[in-house]
């Protein structure tokens, strides 16, 4: 049987991804045993920066991996490496500064799913959604020919390279 050249898209709306990211209590401020101290100097304070969430799912049956980074660079991840393990950590001051610079880039408003009229085009691909308050949602998929919004893609690269946000099943 010949597969169609344009497979049906997996119905995963931004609202579903947002609900996955926000399920249960917030990852920040309420995590049991959270002992990461605030970093004096170098890192933006919670009052001056922006948080960001990354939700990834591999194919229609994959479990979602969620990563949340607060404005000071502290991150917390659920099932981040696709192995069921939750982890926490801290971006370096340089990574935090770079992330905050990108989150403040006005170009992000032109990269949202709504502006791009984004529709998922691949079945079985890794879908990554950035959720940036107050209401920016930017989704990409790892499939041939997929548009990569420049600023959002750099944020995605920084987050996946600085944290264990990588699927161990793939490597």
């Amino acid at each position: 049987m010949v597969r169609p050249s344009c497979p049906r898209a997996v119905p995963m709306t931004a609202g579903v991804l947002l609900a996955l990211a926000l399920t249960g209590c917030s990852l920040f401020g309420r995590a049991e045993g959270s002992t990461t101290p605030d970093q004096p100097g170098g890192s933006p304070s919670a009052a001056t920066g922006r948080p960001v969430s990354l939700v990834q799912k591999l194919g229609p049956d994959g479990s979602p991996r969620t990563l949340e980074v607060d404005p000071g660079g502290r991150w917390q991840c659920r099932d981040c490496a696709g192995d069921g393990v939750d982890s926490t950590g801290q971006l370096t001051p340089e990574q935090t500064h770079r992330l905050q610079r990108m989150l403040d880039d006005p170009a992000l408003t032109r990269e949202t799913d709504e502006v791009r009229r984004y529709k998922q085009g691949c079945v079985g691909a890794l879908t990554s959604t950035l959720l940036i308050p107050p209401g920016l949602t930017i989704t990409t998929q790892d499939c041939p020919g997929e548009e990569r919004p420049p600023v959002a893609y750099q944020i995605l690269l920084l987050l996946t390279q600085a944290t264990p946000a990588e699927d161990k099943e793939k490597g």
Side-chain angles (χ1 to χ4, degrees):
M1 172 185 240
V2 176
R3 297 185 83 172
S5 62
C6 203
R8 293 185 305 182
V10 177
M12 183 187 317
T13 65
V16 170
L17 289 171
L18 180 60
L20 288 170
L22 300 177
T23 300
C25 65
S26 170
L27 289 174
F28 291 104
R30 293 191 234 169
E32 281 187 42
S34 179
T35 59
T36 306
D38 289 336
Q39 299 291 322
S43 295
S45 71
T48 61
R50 296 174 80 177
V52 62
S53 299
L54 169 63
V55 179
Q56 293 184 304
K57 187 172 178 186
L58 183 60
D61 299 324
S63 63
R65 300 187 305 264
T66 59
L67 170 70
E68 293 196 21
V69 182
D70 76 10
R74 287 179 300 202
W75 57 264
Q76 192 160 18
C77 197
R78 291 194 178 167
D79 194 23
C80 206
D83 57 4
V85 176
D86 297 347
S87 54
T88 60
Q90 175 74 40
L91 298 177
T92 68
E94 186 277 325
Q95 290 168 330
T96 302
H97 180 70
R98 188 168 149 234
L99 175 62
Q100 289 304 315
R101 242 187 10 252
M102 289 187 287
L103 291 172
D104 287 338
D105 191 326
L108 278 176
T109 61
R110 295 185 301 273
E111 296 182 4
T112 65
D113 292 354
E114 183 178 358
V115 170
R116 292 171 30 231
R117 296 186 178 148
Y118 182 76
K119 294 188 189 309
Q120 295 178 352
C122 295
V123 174
L126 177 65
T127 301
S128 301
T129 301
L130 290 170
L131 304 165
I132 306 163
L136 299 180
T137 302
I138 304 168
T139 305
T140 60
Q141 283 188 296
D142 285 346
C143 44
E146 176 74 16
E147 174 190 354
R148 292 195 169 136
V151 178
Y153 189 68
Q154 290 305 309
I155 293 170
L156 177 64
L157 286 177
L158 185 147
L159 295 177
T160 56
Q161 290 171 358
T163 68
E166 171 182 309
D167 190 357
K168 289 188 176 184
E169 296 172 11
K170 289 172 67 176

